[in-house]
Amino acid sequence: MILTLWHFLAVAAALFGIGLVGFLTRRNLITMFLCAEMMLQGVAINFVAFARFHGNLQGQVFVLFILAVAACEAGIALALFLSLYRRRRSLDVSDWQELRELGVPAAVDEDPLVQVTAEPEPTLTPAGARPQPIAEEAVRV
């Protein structure tokens, strides 16, 4: 079976569509980021497919830049996610309404997430009796 341009375009469209649906329906920042990366990979497949179809390397060179930017973006996004999680212990998009631009009204969630109460950090119970300090006379002998 020969792979034609339409095969590559179908795979790219499927990747882009799945990424778009995931980005619009999910509320977790990490999931939204991964869906955006999936859409970017669909676009990259389109560039490579059209470069192969037209017989030039311009699309493939552009994909190399896309991959380099995506790698940098992933590192910065991970640092941002860690910072946001440490501040509020949540990566839900609706919890970060104050990060919007000035003058933009807040989005109202019709289905707010159930707030989970934070459990206290577990502590270990002492096991057995504490050892008694060694007397100085016993050490000298």
Side-chain angles (χ1 to χ4, degrees), residues 88-124:
R88 274 244 184 106
R89 298 282 182 218
S90 174
L91 290 177
D92 185 20
V93 175
S94 61
D95 288 344
W96 294 99
Q97 290 289 325
E98 70 268 6
L99 292 180
R100 67 183 182 278
E101 293 182 23
L102 293 176
V104 175
V108 178
D109 284 335
E110 296 173 6
D111 272 338
L113 290 178
V114 177
Q115 295 294 330
V116 178
T117 57
E119 295 180 11
E121 293 289 326
T123 57
L124 298 175

Side-chain angles (χ1 to χ4, degrees), residues 29-109:
L29 286 173
I30 294 175
T31 307
M32 291 174 72
F33 172 73
L34 290 176
C35 289
E37 289 294 324
M38 191 181 301
M39 292 187 321
L40 192 64
Q41 295 306 317
V43 171
I45 289 175
N46 272 337
F47 280 130
V48 170
F50 280 114
R52 180 177 174 261
F53 180 72
H54 291 293
N56 61 15
L57 297 177
Q58 293 172 353
Q60 294 175 1
V61 171
F62 196 68
V63 167
L64 288 176
F65 286 113
I66 289 175
L67 292 177
V69 169
C72 296
E73 176 188 350
I76 292 171
L78 179 62
L80 177 66
F81 295 156
L82 287 174
S83 173
L84 292 175
Y85 183 78
R86 285 181 184 160
R87 183 170 295 182
R88 274 244 184 106
R89 298 282 182 218
S90 174
L91 290 177
D92 185 20
V93 175
S94 61
D95 288 344
W96 294 99
Q97 290 289 325
E98 70 268 6
L99 292 180
R100 67 183 182 278
E101 293 182 23
L102 293 176
V104 175
V108 178
D109 284 335

